[in-house]
Amino acid sequence: MNKPNTGILSVPEGFEIIEGKGPYTDINGPFFGKIVSKDKVVRAFRVEERHLNSIKIVHGGMLMTFADSALAAAVRHVSGRSSVTIKMNSEFLSPAREGDWVESDVEVIRSTRSVAFVRGELKVGKRVIFKADAIFHYVHARR
């Protein structure tokens, strides 16, 4: 099996590129995913130069974009339903730099008929760089 490559460093074993998630994700990606269990999916990306701000660390907007995607992916994985973000709170804890492998660690806390409550962290190795909690509203996806 060929391992995907982001152009900087190889992708860890078990991760596959996520495709077809929409133009915005395509521009900011590539994002990668790995199913861990029926209740857990991990999203990740390799930091490239284009993800950096003027001081050469990952732009906060990129971390928020990726976190939103990872939280939504967890909701979709657990519920099987599409959703949109109603609210997301975030904390920037530590910088990520070019070449870093950023992984999500997300938990769906509660799911009702119309909304899901979720929280997660973004990590570089064991170092937590970002935390977020969010509320997602279930929707019917239009094609």
Side-chain angles (χ1 to χ4, degrees), residues 23-31 45-46 50-51 61-62 65-66:
Y24 190 79
T25 301
D26 290 344
I27 289 170
N28 291 290
F31 294 161
F45 77 100
R46 177 75 66 197
R50 64 195 179 88
H51 299 131
M62 178 61 194
T65 293
F66 178 70

Side-chain angles (χ1 to χ4, degrees), residues 121 123-129:
E121 299 175 335
K123 298 177 179 181
V124 173
K126 294 183 185 224
R127 179 173 48 98
V128 178
I129 64 166

Side-chain angles (χ1 to χ4, degrees), residues 38-41 73-81 108 111 138:
K38 69 177 184 70
D39 296 323
K40 183 91 167 168
V41 64
V75 170
R76 173 91 174 163
H77 181 73
V78 169
S79 71
R81 300 169 70 188
V108 176
S111 180
Y138 292 118

Side-chain angles (χ1 to χ4, degrees), residues 68 71 84-89 116 118 133-137:
D68 185 51
L71 294 167
V84 294
T85 313
I86 295 175
K87 173 183 169 183
M88 185 171 102
N89 297 313
V118 61
D133 60 84
I135 303 170
F136 286 82
H137 178 70

